[in-house]
Amino acid sequence: MGERARAAGGCLLGVVGAATGLALWSLDFRSRFFRFERSPDYSVLYAELPLAVLGGTALALAAWALTRRLALRRRR
């Protein structure tokens, strides 16, 4: 596999990880956003949402790096 294909695979995996983090965050959105009776809790949008997207991206890219490292060890 060429270097460009590996780079594209890593980028694609990062996008898939971000989408997975967003999907998992949105599962129970209403109960977290309307946590209090009087007003919505906006910290869900500016604190939890970016962390979920970045966490999904980081987890996917860490898994990709681990599999790449294991594949390089098997070649030797």
Side-chain angles (χ1 to χ4, degrees):
M1 186 182 318
E3 188 67 30
R4 287 184 181 182
R6 277 186 244 142
C11 290
L12 182 63
L13 194 60
V15 170
V16 168
T20 303
L22 179 63
L24 289 175
W25 175 82
S26 67
L27 285 177
D28 197 23
F29 172 72
R30 282 222 181 263
S31 67
R32 285 193 317 266
F33 189 67
F34 295 108
R35 193 174 296 168
F36 303 107
E37 292 179 6
R38 294 187 183 159
S39 65
D41 184 15
Y42 290 107
S43 69
V44 170
L45 296 177
Y46 65 81
E48 289 182 15
L49 176 61
L51 287 176
V53 171
L54 289 174
T57 304
L59 187 63
L61 291 177
W64 178 72
L66 182 64
T67 57
R68 292 283 307 141
R69 180 174 230 173
L70 292 175
L72 285 175
R73 283 191 180 178
R74 286 184 186 166
R75 278 191 219 163
R76 292 181 187 178

